[in-house]
Amino acid sequence: SSYFEDTSLFPHLAVVIGMLAGIHESSLAKLLQDELVKLQQELAVGHARLCERVASRLPHTAGSVEENLAEEEDDEDGDHEATELEPPKQSHKLPWSREASKWRWLLRTTHSLVASCLYVASTWVRAPNLPVLLQFFLALLLTPPLTLAYHFLSLNKAGGYYDTYIEMFTEFPQHVKDILRRDAPQYQDEIEHERLDGIVRTVNGLETGVIFLTVSWLGAMLSGARQSTGFASDFVWRCIETAVFFLLHRLIGGNMFEGRYYGLIQPEAMWYFECVLSDPPTSRVDCRMMPVLQHPDPPY
């Protein structure tokens, strides 16, 4: 305690501490300087090696780039020449042709034959020798299943105002209202547009049912005036009724007025036809036909 109470020793102690601090700082600075020099040397060596590697690879890379560019230019020139020499392979839609008319006739005739087969089958249920009123009732009773069978056997789908078999009947009142507006120029434009698009109209199930009732009721009224009622006479009568039904069905299916006179006897079932010219070297005409799945919007 007496030692620390002697204040005369403080200056000497401060000098000693300062000397020790200076020695420590000088050694630390020297050590840091030596490490910095070593780091600079290592960076210089690494930079030199990196430059050597880059220099050794630059000519090869440049050459590869030049070769790739030359190959790409050659490929582009080759593609350009191929484009000029060979036309693009794609199908070309053709206007209405003789081949398409043949398939249109075949479709409509097939539909009439299907309907006629159903009609002749119905004549064995409503025999010509039955009373007239009973034939009327049986014909009326057979109409719904006959229209349904024809709709499925003909492969019809949508029509001018409906998409399904049920809508063929439920949307018919609205269709009658649309018929009354067919004197507008827009209707003729739509009819002409559908022809250019390859739309073909055929007889639908509802129209087939109306033809069936007309011919069967007319046949029932005339059957009473027959002289003979034997099997041969009944068979001939069935054939005559079926022939009349076929001709009337085919006449309406032919759409002979083509939408004129408010669409008089214009069938409503729609099919889509497309004739395409195949790719060379065959270059033949391929005609495809398929039923329309959705009616035009708005209907006309």
Side-chain angles (χ1 to χ4, degrees), residues 19-33:
M19 292 176 63
L20 292 175
I23 293 173
H24 180 70
E25 290 178 357
S26 62
S27 61
L28 181 61
K30 185 178 180 181
L31 180 60
L32 291 176
Q33 185 176 4

Side-chain angles (χ1 to χ4, degrees), residues 17 36 60 63 77 90 142 152 163 166 190 213 236 253 259 261 263 280:
I17 293 173
L36 183 60
H60 177 71
D77 293 338
Q90 58 181 1
L142 290 173
F152 285 103
D163 290 339
I166 300 298
E190 293 290 348
L213 281 177
V236 172
Y261 311 114

Side-chain angles (χ1 to χ4, degrees), residues 17-80:
I17 293 173
M19 292 176 63
L20 292 175
I23 293 173
H24 180 70
E25 290 178 357
S26 62
S27 61
L28 181 61
K30 185 178 180 181
L31 180 60
L32 291 176
Q33 185 176 4
D34 293 341
E35 293 295 332
L36 183 60
V37 170
K38 291 180 181 180
L39 182 60
Q40 290 177 350
Q41 291 177 354
E42 292 178 356
L43 290 175
V45 173
H47 183 265
R49 292 178 179 176
L50 180 61
C51 290
E52 291 178 358
R53 291 179 180 178
V54 173
S56 62
R57 294 182 180 182
L58 276 178
H60 177 71
T61 305
S64 300
V65 172
E66 293 175 357
E67 292 175 1
N68 292 335
L69 291 176
E71 292 176 359
E72 291 177 0
E73 291 176 357
D74 293 339
D75 293 339
E76 291 177 358
D77 293 338
D79 294 340
H80 182 67

Side-chain angles (χ1 to χ4, degrees), residues 3-17:
Y3 179 80
F4 287 102
E5 290 177 357
D6 189 0
T7 59
S8 63
L9 295 178
F10 285 169
H12 299 285
L13 182 60
V15 172
V16 173
I17 293 173

